[in-house]
Amino acid sequence: TASGVRSRSVAARGLNWWKGNTLEWRWRAEQEVRASGLDYSIVRVGVLFTRPAGWRAVHVTQEEIPLSIRTRLARADVAEMFAAGLQHPSASRATFEVVGGPGTPRADWDALLDHLRPDTPIRN
């Protein structure tokens, strides 16, 4: 899905206007996935650039990050994170954001994913 699904920004409003409320539809899809009972990882990413992995520092957080050009990151980093997350136990039933930012490019994906906590179960 995408950063900015729940936290509003100028970029999110523009994207929703341009793409038919895409962030609202992504939020609804996230809710359906969580309620499905299946194992999942919901990954919200920032603005993507075609750059080599390690182009910028990568941050993994469960805080809601507004969609912004400042959090842009390399598609290659996102691909590596998806591959690492498939096998990482902390990514199971978790929603998290993967964004670029200042700092030293990441050392290892396990260290970035270790702190994730499962989502709070949805009650009917």
Side-chain angles (χ1 to χ4, degrees):
T1 185
S3 291
V5 168
R6 298 307 302 160
S7 56
R8 299 298 174 215
S9 66
V10 172
R13 283 192 298 274
L15 183 62
N16 272 330
W17 176 80
W18 183 256
K19 294 216 170 202
N21 289 320
T22 186
L23 295 177
E24 178 61 31
W25 288 106
R26 289 172 192 222
W27 169 246
R28 290 179 186 183
E30 286 183 15
Q31 290 175 304
E32 291 296 323
V33 167
R34 285 186 201 95
S36 72
L38 300 172
D39 192 20
Y40 66 86
S41 295
I42 296 174
V43 183
R44 297 175 177 164
V45 298
V47 177
L48 298 174
F49 277 61
T50 304
R51 299 284 174 103
W55 167 60
R56 300 185 77 198
V58 175
H59 303 279
V60 174
T61 182
Q62 288 183 290
E63 294 178 32
E64 292 181 352
I65 306 292
L67 184 63
S68 170
I69 193 72
R70 291 186 302 259
T71 60
R72 66 195 181 275
L73 69 162
R75 283 180 171 87
D77 282 320
V78 174
E80 286 182 13
M81 187 285 313
F82 274 120
L86 285 171
Q87 300 301 318
H88 201 287
S90 293
S92 176
R93 297 189 183 276
T95 300
F96 54 99
E97 309 238 358
V98 179
V99 296
T104 306
R106 57 137 184 83
D108 101 52
W109 286 109
D110 282 339
L112 290 172
L113 297 170
D114 279 343
H115 72 280
L116 296 176
R117 298 292 170 250
D119 294 335
T120 303
I122 295 174
R123 303 221 193 283
N124 294 331

